[in-house]
Amino acid sequence: MLSSVRRGKSSGFTLVEMVMVIIILGVMVLGVSSFVIIGTRIFVESTTVDQVLSQSRFVMERMTREMRNAVPNSLRVTESPVTFQCIEFVPIQASGSYLDLPISPEPTRLTGTVMVPSQGIDTDHRILVYPLRPADIYAATPTASTGHLFDVKDFDSNTLTFERAVRFSEASPRNRFFMVGNAVSYCFFADGNIRRYSGYNMFNTDQPTPADMAGDTDTDGALMAENVMITGGNWPISYTPGTLINNAVVQLTPQFEVNEQAFQYQHQVQVVNVP
């Protein structure tokens, strides 16, 4: 009698109950894991899209600011039908009005008088007067005695001293001069990258290619953005040179693609044409 009572008080799980519990737990784990996976995927995709958007805004804003500060008539565009498209320009380091410079047909002279710009004058830069075409800048010879662009040896008060006796080819209607350094190029590549080049030799009659610029600087340019989509050879830069009555206009229409989502900019930059 005692042994039967003990057997009645014993408890446990049957095999069916254990299988049912395992099935229920499995379904719950699958549901939770699916929820976590979907949430993680949404977060990763949204982060990737946000990163590309940030990169695209940054490069568009920087290009706009730099091109608006470009020397008039210094912009030029080149492209390879299937590989790249580049826009090159010379940023203004300082600008102001000159009071007295040796200008043709005057004889060459070693000094000139200018009004000091707010940025000051750095003798590592060159002085440029009245560039009417890209060749006046890129085909210039700063070591020559006649031209538009010359090296500066010294600056004291309002007096510029040149490396040699020089004479500027033409006078600016507004007596304006620019202090300039090296050129800058932005290149769009068919592989989706945008790169910025600087520090290369700017004195090239023909616009240099990315390989030329990389060869001068031992770098492949600074990566500014990725995921640019180039289709059918439709490059994103369109340039209309300035005239006597219109400013130069750069039309930027890059299209970015990420996670099968595409968005395109329609951006216009005006470069003031007041040489």
Side-chain angles (χ1 to χ4, degrees), residues 101-131:
L101 287 177
I103 297 174
S104 182
E106 297 179 14
T108 59
R109 198 164 73 232
L110 194 60
T111 61
T113 306
V114 301
M115 297 179 66
V116 183
S118 59
Q119 304 94 328
I121 291 182
D122 187 341
T123 54
D124 289 335
H125 297 149
R126 299 181 176 94
I127 184 171
L128 174 66
V129 174
Y130 204 46

PDB file of all heavy atoms in Angstrom, residues 101-131:
ATOM      1  N   LEU A 101      51.294  99.088 -62.410  1.00  0.00           N
ATOM      2  CA  LEU A 101      52.030  97.903 -62.838  1.00  0.00           C
ATOM      3  C   LEU A 101      52.607  98.145 -64.233  1.00  0.00           C
ATOM      4  O   LEU A 101      52.029  98.901 -65.022  1.00  0.00           O
ATOM      5  CB  LEU A 101      51.108  96.679 -62.876  1.00  0.00           C
ATOM      6  CG  LEU A 101      50.660  96.066 -61.551  1.00  0.00           C
ATOM      7  CD1 LEU A 101      49.700  94.913 -61.801  1.00  0.00           C
ATOM      8  CD2 LEU A 101      51.847  95.599 -60.714  1.00  0.00           C
ATOM      9  N   PRO A 102      53.713  97.513 -64.546  1.00  0.00           N
ATOM     10  CA  PRO A 102      54.261  97.636 -65.910  1.00  0.00           C
ATOM     11  C   PRO A 102      53.396  96.864 -66.901  1.00  0.00           C
ATOM     12  O   PRO A 102      53.358  95.636 -66.868  1.00  0.00           O
ATOM     13  CB  PRO A 102      55.654  97.020 -65.786  1.00  0.00           C
ATOM     14  CG  PRO A 102      55.558  96.084 -64.617  1.00  0.00           C
ATOM     15  CD  PRO A 102      54.581  96.702 -63.672  1.00  0.00           C
ATOM     16  N   ILE A 103      52.672  97.587 -67.737  1.00  0.00           N
ATOM     17  CA  ILE A 103      51.738  96.968 -68.673  1.00  0.00           C
ATOM     18  C   ILE A 103      52.060  97.439 -70.082  1.00  0.00           C
ATOM     19  O   ILE A 103      52.338  98.626 -70.307  1.00  0.00           O
ATOM     20  CB  ILE A 103      50.280  97.323 -68.299  1.00  0.00           C
ATOM     21  CG1 ILE A 103      49.941  96.765 -66.916  1.00  0.00           C
ATOM     22  CG2 ILE A 103      49.306  96.771 -69.328  1.00  0.00           C
ATOM     23  CD1 ILE A 103      48.597  97.177 -66.383  1.00  0.00           C
ATOM     24  N   SER A 104      52.030  96.495 -71.022  1.00  0.00           N
ATOM     25  CA  SER A 104      52.327  96.805 -72.422  1.00  0.00           C
ATOM     26  C   SER A 104      51.470  97.992 -72.898  1.00  0.00           C
ATOM     27  O   SER A 104      50.276  98.067 -72.560  1.00  0.00           O
ATOM     28  CB  SER A 104      52.048  95.577 -73.294  1.00  0.00           C
ATOM     29  OG  SER A 104      52.369  95.831 -74.622  1.00  0.00           O
ATOM     30  N   PRO A 105      52.055  98.952 -73.633  1.00  0.00           N
ATOM     31  CA  PRO A 105      53.376  98.965 -74.274  1.00  0.00           C
ATOM     32  C   PRO A 105      54.478  99.577 -73.429  1.00  0.00           C
ATOM     33  O   PRO A 105      55.534  99.946 -73.969  1.00  0.00           O
ATOM     34  CB  PRO A 105      53.101  99.817 -75.508  1.00  0.00           C
ATOM     35  CG  PRO A 105      52.087 100.811 -75.049  1.00  0.00           C
ATOM     36  CD  PRO A 105      51.209 100.075 -74.089  1.00  0.00           C
ATOM     37  N   GLU A 106      54.284  99.726 -72.121  1.00  0.00           N
ATOM     38  CA  GLU A 106      55.333 100.267 -71.270  1.00  0.00           C
ATOM     39  C   GLU A 106      56.533  99.327 -71.262  1.00  0.00           C
ATOM     40  O   GLU A 106      56.406  98.126 -71.532  1.00  0.00           O
ATOM     41  CB  GLU A 106      54.820 100.455 -69.842  1.00  0.00           C
ATOM     42  CG  GLU A 106      53.688 101.457 -69.688  1.00  0.00           C
ATOM     43  CD  GLU A 106      53.236 101.552 -68.247  1.00  0.00           C
ATOM     44  OE1 GLU A 106      53.968 101.060 -67.356  1.00  0.00           O
ATOM     45  OE2 GLU A 106      52.150 102.113 -68.001  1.00  0.00           O
ATOM     46  N   PRO A 107      57.703  99.827 -70.916  1.00  0.00           N
ATOM     47  CA  PRO A 107      58.879  98.950 -70.810  1.00  0.00           C
ATOM     48  C   PRO A 107      58.781  98.052 -69.584  1.00  0.00           C
ATOM     49  O   PRO A 107      57.980  98.285 -68.674  1.00  0.00           O
ATOM     50  CB  PRO A 107      60.042  99.948 -70.684  1.00  0.00           C
ATOM     51  CG  PRO A 107      59.425 101.177 -70.104  1.00  0.00           C
ATOM     52  CD  PRO A 107      58.030 101.245 -70.665  1.00  0.00           C
ATOM     53  N   THR A 108      59.562  97.013 -69.572  1.00  0.00           N
ATOM     54  CA  THR A 108      59.585  96.109 -68.425  1.00  0.00           C
ATOM     55  C   THR A 108      60.096  96.841 -67.187  1.00  0.00           C
ATOM     56  O   THR A 108      60.866  97.797 -67.283  1.00  0.00           O
ATOM     57  CB  THR A 108      60.480  94.891 -68.704  1.00  0.00           C
ATOM     58  OG1 THR A 108      61.807  95.348 -68.984  1.00  0.00           O
ATOM     59  CG2 THR A 108      59.956  94.084 -69.880  1.00  0.00           C
ATOM     60  N   ARG A 109      59.638  96.357 -66.036  1.00  0.00           N
ATOM     61  CA  ARG A 109      60.017  97.004 -64.790  1.00  0.00           C
ATOM     62  C   ARG A 109      60.100  95.951 -63.689  1.00  0.00           C
ATOM     63  O   ARG A 109      59.445  94.915 -63.756  1.00  0.00           O
ATOM     64  CB  ARG A 109      59.003  98.080 -64.437  1.00  0.00           C
ATOM     65  CG  ARG A 109      59.497  99.108 -63.424  1.00  0.00           C
ATOM     66  CD  ARG A 109      58.621 100.353 -63.391  1.00  0.00           C
ATOM     67  NE  ARG A 109      57.336 100.108 -62.744  1.00  0.00           N
ATOM     68  CZ  ARG A 109      56.169 100.411 -63.284  1.00  0.00           C
ATOM     69  NH1 ARG A 109      56.110 100.924 -64.503  1.00  0.00           N
ATOM     70  NH2 ARG A 109      55.061 100.176 -62.624  1.00  0.00           N
ATOM     71  N   LEU A 110      60.852  96.230 -62.660  1.00  0.00           N
ATOM     72  CA  LEU A 110      61.093  95.265 -61.596  1.00  0.00           C
ATOM     73  C   LEU A 110      60.069  95.352 -60.470  1.00  0.00           C
ATOM     74  O   LEU A 110      59.934  94.420 -59.683  1.00  0.00           O
ATOM     75  CB  LEU A 110      62.510  95.457 -61.031  1.00  0.00           C
ATOM     76  CG  LEU A 110      63.074  94.352 -60.142  1.00  0.00           C
ATOM     77  CD1 LEU A 110      63.156  93.031 -60.895  1.00  0.00           C
ATOM     78  CD2 LEU A 110      64.436  94.755 -59.588  1.00  0.00           C
ATOM     79  N   THR A 111      59.321  96.461 -60.393  1.00  0.00           N
ATOM     80  CA  THR A 111      58.397  96.653 -59.268  1.00  0.00           C
ATOM     81  C   THR A 111      57.035  97.120 -59.758  1.00  0.00           C
ATOM     82  O   THR A 111      56.882  97.576 -60.889  1.00  0.00           O
ATOM     83  CB  THR A 111      58.948  97.692 -58.271  1.00  0.00           C
ATOM     84  OG1 THR A 111      59.105  98.955 -58.934  1.00  0.00           O
ATOM     85  CG2 THR A 111      60.281  97.248 -57.694  1.00  0.00           C
ATOM     86  N   GLY A 112      56.042  97.036 -58.866  1.00  0.00           N
ATOM     87  CA  GLY A 112      54.698  97.521 -59.117  1.00  0.00           C
ATOM     88  C   GLY A 112      54.033  97.894 -57.799  1.00  0.00           C
ATOM     89  O   GLY A 112      54.468  97.440 -56.729  1.00  0.00           O
ATOM     90  N   THR A 113      52.988  98.696 -57.874  1.00  0.00           N
ATOM     91  CA  THR A 113      52.291  99.153 -56.668  1.00  0.00           C
ATOM     92  C   THR A 113      50.855  98.649 -56.689  1.00  0.00           C
ATOM     93  O   THR A 113      50.149  98.811 -57.687  1.00  0.00           O
ATOM     94  CB  THR A 113      52.294 100.689 -56.583  1.00  0.00           C
ATOM     95  OG1 THR A 113      53.638 101.169 -56.674  1.00  0.00           O
ATOM     96  CG2 THR A 113      51.701 101.154 -55.264  1.00  0.00           C
ATOM     97  N   VAL A 114      50.434  98.039 -55.573  1.00  0.00           N
ATOM     98  CA  VAL A 114      49.094  97.469 -55.482  1.00  0.00           C
ATOM     99  C   VAL A 114      48.465  97.860 -54.157  1.00  0.00           C
ATOM    100  O   VAL A 114      49.156  98.276 -53.210  1.00  0.00           O
ATOM    101  CB  VAL A 114      49.123  95.925 -55.605  1.00  0.00           C
ATOM    102  CG1 VAL A 114      49.728  95.488 -56.927  1.00  0.00           C
ATOM    103  CG2 VAL A 114      49.886  95.314 -54.429  1.00  0.00           C
ATOM    104  N   MET A 115      47.146  97.739 -54.099  1.00  0.00           N
ATOM    105  CA  MET A 115      46.432  97.871 -52.828  1.00  0.00           C
ATOM    106  C   MET A 115      46.421  96.505 -52.155  1.00  0.00           C
ATOM    107  O   MET A 115      46.102  95.494 -52.797  1.00  0.00           O
ATOM    108  CB  MET A 115      45.008  98.366 -53.072  1.00  0.00           C
ATOM    109  CG  MET A 115      44.935  99.753 -53.690  1.00  0.00           C
ATOM    110  SD  MET A 115      43.231 100.299 -53.981  1.00  0.00           S
ATOM    111  CE  MET A 115      42.632 100.432 -52.287  1.00  0.00           C
ATOM    112  N   VAL A 116      46.745  96.480 -50.876  1.00  0.00           N
ATOM    113  CA  VAL A 116      46.884  95.198 -50.180  1.00  0.00           C
ATOM    114  C   VAL A 116      45.499  94.578 -49.965  1.00  0.00           C
ATOM    115  O   VAL A 116      44.625  95.202 -49.367  1.00  0.00           O
ATOM    116  CB  VAL A 116      47.581  95.376 -48.821  1.00  0.00           C
ATOM    117  CG1 VAL A 116      47.786  94.021 -48.153  1.00  0.00           C
ATOM    118  CG2 VAL A 116      48.908  96.089 -48.997  1.00  0.00           C
ATOM    119  N   PRO A 117      45.262  93.349 -50.467  1.00  0.00           N
ATOM    120  CA  PRO A 117      43.964  92.691 -50.235  1.00  0.00           C
ATOM    121  C   PRO A 117      43.818  92.272 -48.788  1.00  0.00           C
ATOM    122  O   PRO A 117      44.805  92.186 -48.039  1.00  0.00           O
ATOM    123  CB  PRO A 117      44.024  91.477 -51.167  1.00  0.00           C
ATOM    124  CG  PRO A 117      45.482  91.202 -51.346  1.00  0.00           C
ATOM    125  CD  PRO A 117      46.172  92.538 -51.288  1.00  0.00           C
ATOM    126  N   SER A 118      42.585  92.008 -48.371  1.00  0.00           N
ATOM    127  CA  SER A 118      42.322  91.625 -46.985  1.00  0.00           C
ATOM    128  C   SER A 118      43.026  90.322 -46.622  1.00  0.00           C
ATOM    129  O   SER A 118      43.377  90.102 -45.452  1.00  0.00           O
ATOM    130  CB  SER A 118      40.816  91.494 -46.756  1.00  0.00           C
ATOM    131  OG  SER A 118      40.268  90.512 -47.633  1.00  0.00           O
ATOM    132  N   GLN A 119      43.247  89.437 -47.614  1.00  0.00           N
ATOM    133  CA  GLN A 119      43.918  88.159 -47.341  1.00  0.00           C
ATOM    134  C   GLN A 119      45.430  88.324 -47.222  1.00  0.00           C
ATOM    135  O   GLN A 119      46.137  87.391 -46.859  1.00  0.00           O
ATOM    136  CB  GLN A 119      43.611  87.141 -48.443  1.00  0.00           C
ATOM    137  CG  GLN A 119      42.144  86.875 -48.682  1.00  0.00           C
ATOM    138  CD  GLN A 119      41.582  87.742 -49.786  1.00  0.00           C
ATOM    139  OE1 GLN A 119      42.022  88.882 -49.985  1.00  0.00           O
ATOM    140  NE2 GLN A 119      40.594  87.234 -50.504  1.00  0.00           N
ATOM    141  N   GLY A 120      45.941  89.518 -47.567  1.00  0.00           N
ATOM    142  CA  GLY A 120      47.381  89.708 -47.593  1.00  0.00           C
ATOM    143  C   GLY A 120      47.986  89.142 -48.863  1.00  0.00           C
ATOM    144  O   GLY A 120      47.279  88.611 -49.734  1.00  0.00           O
ATOM    145  N   ILE A 121      49.283  89.243 -48.991  1.00  0.00           N
ATOM    146  CA  ILE A 121      49.998  88.728 -50.162  1.00  0.00           C
ATOM    147  C   ILE A 121      51.086  87.776 -49.715  1.00  0.00           C
ATOM    148  O   ILE A 121      51.936  88.120 -48.885  1.00  0.00           O
ATOM    149  CB  ILE A 121      50.596  89.880 -50.994  1.00  0.00           C
ATOM    150  CG1 ILE A 121      49.461  90.665 -51.666  1.00  0.00           C
ATOM    151  CG2 ILE A 121      51.576  89.352 -52.037  1.00  0.00           C
ATOM    152  CD1 ILE A 121      49.931  91.806 -52.549  1.00  0.00           C
ATOM    153  N   ASP A 122      51.019  86.566 -50.243  1.00  0.00           N
ATOM    154  CA  ASP A 122      51.998  85.528 -49.968  1.00  0.00           C
ATOM    155  C   ASP A 122      52.945  85.453 -51.167  1.00  0.00           C
ATOM    156  O   ASP A 122      52.504  85.217 -52.297  1.00  0.00           O
ATOM    157  CB  ASP A 122      51.298  84.186 -49.742  1.00  0.00           C
ATOM    158  CG  ASP A 122      52.245  83.092 -49.281  1.00  0.00           C
ATOM    159  OD1 ASP A 122      53.471  83.233 -49.461  1.00  0.00           O
ATOM    160  OD2 ASP A 122      51.756  82.078 -48.746  1.00  0.00           O
ATOM    161  N   THR A 123      54.236  85.640 -50.936  1.00  0.00           N
ATOM    162  CA  THR A 123      55.192  85.643 -52.052  1.00  0.00           C
ATOM    163  C   THR A 123      55.387  84.247 -52.645  1.00  0.00           C
ATOM    164  O   THR A 123      56.066  84.111 -53.665  1.00  0.00           O
ATOM    165  CB  THR A 123      56.547  86.210 -51.591  1.00  0.00           C
ATOM    166  OG1 THR A 123      57.007  85.485 -50.444  1.00  0.00           O
ATOM    167  CG2 THR A 123      56.418  87.686 -51.226  1.00  0.00           C
ATOM    168  N   ASP A 124      54.829  83.217 -52.006  1.00  0.00           N
ATOM    169  CA  ASP A 124      54.860  81.880 -52.624  1.00  0.00           C
ATOM    170  C   ASP A 124      53.845  81.773 -53.759  1.00  0.00           C
ATOM    171  O   ASP A 124      53.904  80.835 -54.556  1.00  0.00           O
ATOM    172  CB  ASP A 124      54.570  80.805 -51.586  1.00  0.00           C
ATOM    173  CG  ASP A 124      55.721  80.624 -50.606  1.00  0.00           C
ATOM    174  OD1 ASP A 124      56.864  80.954 -50.986  1.00  0.00           O
ATOM    175  OD2 ASP A 124      55.470  80.169 -49.470  1.00  0.00           O
ATOM    176  N   HIS A 125      52.906  82.716 -53.818  1.00  0.00           N
ATOM    177  CA  HIS A 125      51.912  82.733 -54.888  1.00  0.00           C
ATOM    178  C   HIS A 125      52.406  83.593 -56.051  1.00  0.00           C
ATOM    179  O   HIS A 125      53.403  84.303 -55.938  1.00  0.00           O
ATOM    180  CB  HIS A 125      50.579  83.278 -54.361  1.00  0.00           C
ATOM    181  CG  HIS A 125      49.977  82.434 -53.297  1.00  0.00           C
ATOM    182  ND1 HIS A 125      49.188  82.942 -52.277  1.00  0.00           N
ATOM    183  CD2 HIS A 125      50.066  81.091 -53.054  1.00  0.00           C
ATOM    184  CE1 HIS A 125      48.810  81.974 -51.476  1.00  0.00           C
ATOM    185  NE2 HIS A 125      49.326  80.840 -51.921  1.00  0.00           N
ATOM    186  N   ARG A 126      51.677  83.528 -57.166  1.00  0.00           N
ATOM    187  CA  ARG A 126      52.018  84.308 -58.358  1.00  0.00           C
ATOM    188  C   ARG A 126      50.946  85.359 -58.605  1.00  0.00           C
ATOM    189  O   ARG A 126      49.799  85.186 -58.226  1.00  0.00           O
ATOM    190  CB  ARG A 126      52.145  83.381 -59.581  1.00  0.00           C
ATOM    191  CG  ARG A 126      53.223  82.317 -59.445  1.00  0.00           C
ATOM    192  CD  ARG A 126      53.295  81.463 -60.712  1.00  0.00           C
ATOM    193  NE  ARG A 126      54.375  80.502 -60.657  1.00  0.00           N
ATOM    194  CZ  ARG A 126      54.245  79.245 -60.237  1.00  0.00           C
ATOM    195  NH1 ARG A 126      53.059  78.810 -59.846  1.00  0.00           N
ATOM    196  NH2 ARG A 126      55.283  78.431 -60.209  1.00  0.00           N
ATOM    197  N   ILE A 127      51.329  86.437 -59.264  1.00  0.00           N
ATOM    198  CA  ILE A 127      50.376  87.492 -59.582  1.00  0.00           C
ATOM    199  C   ILE A 127      49.877  87.306 -61.008  1.00  0.00           C
ATOM    200  O   ILE A 127      50.653  87.026 -61.929  1.00  0.00           O
ATOM    201  CB  ILE A 127      51.000  88.899 -59.395  1.00  0.00           C
ATOM    202  CG1 ILE A 127      49.934  89.973 -59.639  1.00  0.00           C
ATOM    203  CG2 ILE A 127      52.241  89.087 -60.265  1.00  0.00           C
ATOM    204  CD1 ILE A 127      50.384  91.371 -59.271  1.00  0.00           C
ATOM    205  N   LEU A 128      48.565  87.448 -61.183  1.00  0.00           N
ATOM    206  CA  LEU A 128      47.904  87.230 -62.471  1.00  0.00           C
ATOM    207  C   LEU A 128      47.041  88.447 -62.789  1.00  0.00           C
ATOM    208  O   LEU A 128      46.288  88.918 -61.936  1.00  0.00           O
ATOM    209  CB  LEU A 128      47.041  85.970 -62.394  1.00  0.00           C
ATOM    210  CG  LEU A 128      46.147  85.622 -63.582  1.00  0.00           C
ATOM    211  CD1 LEU A 128      46.987  85.278 -64.807  1.00  0.00           C
ATOM    212  CD2 LEU A 128      45.221  84.458 -63.225  1.00  0.00           C
ATOM    213  N   VAL A 129      47.149  88.939 -64.029  1.00  0.00           N
ATOM    214  CA  VAL A 129      46.384  90.112 -64.446  1.00  0.00           C
ATOM    215  C   VAL A 129      45.680  89.837 -65.767  1.00  0.00           C
ATOM    216  O   VAL A 129      46.306  89.429 -66.748  1.00  0.00           O
ATOM    217  CB  VAL A 129      47.297  91.356 -64.587  1.00  0.00           C
ATOM    218  CG1 VAL A 129      46.515  92.537 -65.176  1.00  0.00           C
ATOM    219  CG2 VAL A 129      47.875  91.745 -63.238  1.00  0.00           C
ATOM    220  N   TYR A 130      44.377  90.009 -65.765  1.00  0.00           N
ATOM    221  CA  TYR A 130      43.493  89.992 -66.938  1.00  0.00           C
ATOM    222  C   TYR A 130      43.630  88.734 -67.802  1.00  0.00           C
ATOM    223  O   TYR A 130      43.972  88.800 -68.986  1.00  0.00           O
ATOM    224  CB  TYR A 130      43.750  91.234 -67.796  1.00  0.00           C
ATOM    225  CG  TYR A 130      42.564  91.613 -68.671  1.00  0.00           C
ATOM    226  CD1 TYR A 130      41.275  91.646 -68.157  1.00  0.00           C
ATOM    227  CD2 TYR A 130      42.741  91.940 -70.018  1.00  0.00           C
ATOM    228  CE1 TYR A 130      40.196  92.004 -68.957  1.00  0.00           C
ATOM    229  CE2 TYR A 130      41.665  92.299 -70.818  1.00  0.00           C
ATOM    230  CZ  TYR A 130      40.396  92.320 -70.277  1.00  0.00           C
ATOM    231  OH  TYR A 130      39.320  92.671 -71.063  1.00  0.00           O
ATOM    232  N   PRO A 131      43.315  87.562 -67.229  1.00  0.00           N
ATOM    233  CA  PRO A 131      43.294  86.339 -68.048  1.00  0.00           C
ATOM    234  C   PRO A 131      41.987  86.254 -68.835  1.00  0.00           C
ATOM    235  O   PRO A 131      40.906  86.211 -68.256  1.00  0.00           O
ATOM    236  CB  PRO A 131      43.386  85.230 -67.004  1.00  0.00           C
ATOM    237  CG  PRO A 131      42.718  85.822 -65.790  1.00  0.00           C
ATOM    238  CD  PRO A 131      43.000  87.295 -65.816  1.00  0.00           C
TER     239      PRO A 131
END
